[in-house]
Amino acid sequence: MKVMAQMAMVMNLDKCIGCHTCSVTCKQAWSNRPGMEYAWFNNVETRPGQGYPRTYEDQDRWQGGWKLTRRGRLTLRSGSRLRRLLTLFANPHLPALRDYYEPWTYDYQNLITAPAGDDLPTARPVSLTTGGPTDITWSANWDDSLGGGPELAVHDPVLRSVSERIRLEFEQTFMLYLPRICEHCLNPSCVASCPSGAMYKRAEDGIVLVDSDRCRSWRMCVTGCPYKKVFLNHHTGKAEKCTFCFPRIELGMPTVCAQTCVGRLRYIGVVLYDADRVLAAASEPDEKKLYEAQKQVLLDPHDPAVAAAAERAGIPADWIAAARRSPIYRLIFDYGLALPLHPEYRTLPMVWYIPPLSPIVDAVRDTGFDGENAGNLFAAVEALRIPIGYLAGLFTAGDPEPVRLVLRRLVAMRSYLRDINLGAEPDETIPAAVGMTGTAMREMYRLLAVAKAEDRYVIPHAHAEPTDAPGGCSLDGDGGPGMGGAGPVELFTWNGSDRPAGLFPERTTP
């Protein structure tokens, strides 16, 4: 057993209102610079819909993630090393800019400099890539709140697989919001796809990052990621992606998207996992069993044997304690609510979701029955506005049973807490019907509904690596790059066209 630590996130889709605050704050913090105008490390999709980039879930087209060979061996869907080497300079499975969208601004100067005339001047859209006039036809949230429209929903790859059971008539349409970031997978296909070794998974916390110095712009990582959360900065020629806000995580702070989330729907914590089980879990032949196989990879931090193995692996004691208090472990195991996004990609994603519960109470009440009665609500789960089959296509590779159990537990929590809030005697048969106790259901309610920040974010501080070097900044040494001149060059703000001092060797005249 090789115990490792992993930072993970759970999002409660029942609380997402689609305000895009997380997207905007992430954009300002991480991708607000030249070359990244089209990139959204965090975006909120309306489902059913095409997603961002368009139809990214269609792996027959984009060839992302892993697949099993006829012999049962795990291999990249994009092909063997030889195949990827032969297509190194002409990768045919890359989203084009039109699949993301062409970023634009407006010619605001025309409003100021236009000569006097009879007509009001206008600010035409201008492309941020070519600088010329453009027509706005698509964006990262173009489908916002339009998921039920038949014109858009037919392009949803997940809906396509269950369309025989779902009729997209006007009165039967449905919609949900799905925030997405990099999944920071346990078995990341983007890392395995990178020919130059620039993509890597940090051993101390499992965050997947890009080494810009080693990146050679092959863009195989873009193809390899089935979630399409790796972007190419066309100014610098470097791949960039969500970093899980690792500078904040190292200080014990939540990510920017979690910190600014209006609905407080994100939970962050540490989980322990057995690295020796990852390959076997990802190689599970039955796609519908991948969810349970991934759960078997995660370890119980309360187990003394696991804690002892974690200590031998060098995991700090405060990290083990944080894993025991982690809301992630409770939501996945204690309450059984969190599900991974597209486990059939076999990357073992570590951003999990609590499926949304449709407006079930009003629907039952409109039929003339008690909308808070547990029996009525349990029966109504099968007729929810958001079909269980669609949710299963997102979170359990098509297996409806785990999704059905989650929805039944959410329904049971509503009915059980209604009696308590009205001063009635709690009915312990309600939590028992979904395999829980009344105490566990009350704790689940506190975590989902009224938990404070210290309960939603259990993030231990990073530990400095041991070193024999003297203290101080490495750039301060004699002759170092930080001595004299303009100081160290900040690559993240470099526009890619000028020549800052210290970035390139000085030109000499023969």
Side-chain angles (χ1 to χ4, degrees), residues 14-62:
D14 226 9
K15 302 172 72 175
C16 183
I17 61 174
C19 66
H20 298 272
T21 303
C22 53
S23 299
V24 173
T25 51
C26 175
K27 181 72 174 177
Q28 292 296 325
W30 290 104
S31 58
N32 186 18
R33 58 184 174 278
M36 298 297 286
E37 293 88 355
Y38 77 106
W40 295 82
F41 292 171
N42 184 113
N43 70 290
V44 182
E45 299 172 356
T46 299
R47 310 308 304 264
Q50 302 180 63
Y52 166 75
R54 293 193 235 197
T55 67
Y56 72 92
E57 293 162 305
D58 185 358
Q59 301 311 327
D60 291 335
R61 176 185 181 188
W62 301 119

Side-chain angles (χ1 to χ4, degrees), residues 275-391:
D276 292 336
R277 299 183 188 175
V278 169
L279 179 59
S283 303
E284 166 61 47
D286 188 350
E287 288 186 347
K288 293 184 178 181
K289 295 181 179 179
L290 284 168
Y291 159 61
E292 289 294 338
Q294 182 172 351
K295 289 177 64 177
Q296 297 302 317
V297 175
L298 306 181
L299 300 173
D300 183 0
H302 303 282
D303 186 343
V306 172
E311 291 179 3
R312 291 194 299 269
I315 299 177
D318 58 334
W319 279 62
I320 300 175
R324 291 171 177 155
R325 297 185 295 109
S326 173
I328 309 301
Y329 185 87
R330 284 187 284 165
L331 290 170
I332 294 176
F333 290 96
D334 294 347
Y335 310 139
L337 297 179
L339 304 172
L341 180 63
H342 289 301
E344 68 271 19
Y345 297 161
R346 301 181 183 274
T347 60
L348 307 187
M350 288 312 295
V351 176
W352 293 45
Y353 294 85
I354 301 175
L357 193 64
S358 305
I360 186 172
V361 174
D362 292 341
V364 174
R365 185 186 59 206
D366 291 344
T367 62
F369 295 93
D370 183 0
E372 298 285 358
N373 180 270
N376 296 336
L377 292 178
F378 284 154
V381 165
E382 298 297 330
L384 287 175
R385 195 175 185 87
I386 303 176
I388 292 179
Y390 185 81
L391 296 176

Side-chain angles (χ1 to χ4, degrees), residues 68 113 189:
L68 291 181
T113 60
S189 52

Side-chain angles (χ1 to χ4, degrees), residues 83-150:
R83 177 183 175 185
R84 284 183 283 122
L85 180 62
L86 294 176
T87 59
L88 194 61
F89 298 98
N91 186 352
H93 303 296
L94 283 174
L97 190 61
R98 63 179 178 272
D99 296 309
Y100 294 101
Y101 73 98
E102 185 172 6
W104 74 88
T105 183
Y106 294 95
D107 185 11
Y108 295 110
Q109 286 297 320
N110 186 54
L111 301 178
I112 303 173
T113 60
D118 296 333
D119 300 323
L120 291 175
T122 60
R124 292 191 60 188
V126 177
S127 171
L128 285 172
T129 56
T130 65
T134 186
D135 294 326
I136 302 172
T137 58
W138 183 257
S139 76
N141 63 336
W142 198 259
D143 292 347
D144 195 19
S145 299
L146 297 175

